[in-house]
Amino acid sequence: MNIEPEPTTQQQGISAYDGRQVVIAGKTYRHSLLAMPGMTPVYWPVTSFDTLTIDDLVALKALRPDIIILGTGRHTRQLPGDWIFTLLEHGLIIECMNNRAACGTCNIMLAEERNVLLALVMEEINP
């Protein structure tokens, strides 16, 4: 039996993730993406955690999230320490975790009606 909380808002969260794809609001995505409340998920041209740059992350400021959940792939990876200070200077709070945990955390924050940005790196399936 699937046990899921009843949605308390109009936000549709992540209903499935299996390492090759993620399902958000009934639509399947097989590429890196950005998703947040009130926005249709969009392609994010980051093909792996290793190619991620600080500029990729600073650019997310334009979306004005309260917090960014960065899904780093199948394994949790951490940003370089000096990036954290730069991101904080830009007013960005980023939590890194593997994609499965990122999807679950994003759903919890959506249920709390937080303005969370999910930045998901789907490096397992990208060329």
Side-chain angles (χ1 to χ4, degrees):
M1 175 190 332
N2 243 354
I3 300 174
E4 296 179 21
E6 280 192 45
T8 58
T9 69
Q10 297 290 353
Q11 303 303 330
Q12 293 187 15
I14 300 157
S15 57
Y17 169 78
D18 72 4
R20 295 178 301 145
Q21 61 190 11
V22 61
V23 180
I24 302 173
K27 184 170 181 195
T28 301
Y29 298 88
R30 293 181 176 89
H31 54 73
S32 297
L33 59 84
L34 301 173
M36 66 185 305
M39 175 181 110
T40 300
V42 296
Y43 173 75
W44 192 32
V46 175
T47 58
S48 77
F49 184 83
D50 293 329
T51 63
L52 182 68
T53 68
I54 189 138
D55 291 335
D56 293 325
L57 298 173
V58 170
L60 302 178
K61 182 178 181 177
L63 297 172
R64 301 176 52 131
D66 293 338
I67 187 167
I68 298 168
I69 302 299
L70 177 60
T72 60
R74 288 198 177 165
H75 304 285
T76 300
R77 312 252 323 255
Q78 297 301 319
L79 298 174
D82 57 325
W83 287 22
I84 303 298
F85 294 109
T86 301
L87 294 165
L88 287 172
E89 288 173 357
H90 285 276
L92 295 171
I93 299 170
I94 298 182
E95 293 290 333
C96 297
M97 55 194 76
N98 67 56
N99 284 356
R100 182 171 303 284
C103 291
T105 301
C106 184
N107 276 347
I108 291 168
M109 292 188 157
L110 287 172
E112 294 172 349
E113 299 185 17
R114 302 271 309 270
N115 190 36
V116 59
L117 170 60
L118 175 66
L120 203 60
V121 178
M122 296 289 285
E123 62 188 352
E124 299 89 1
I125 59 168
N126 286 326

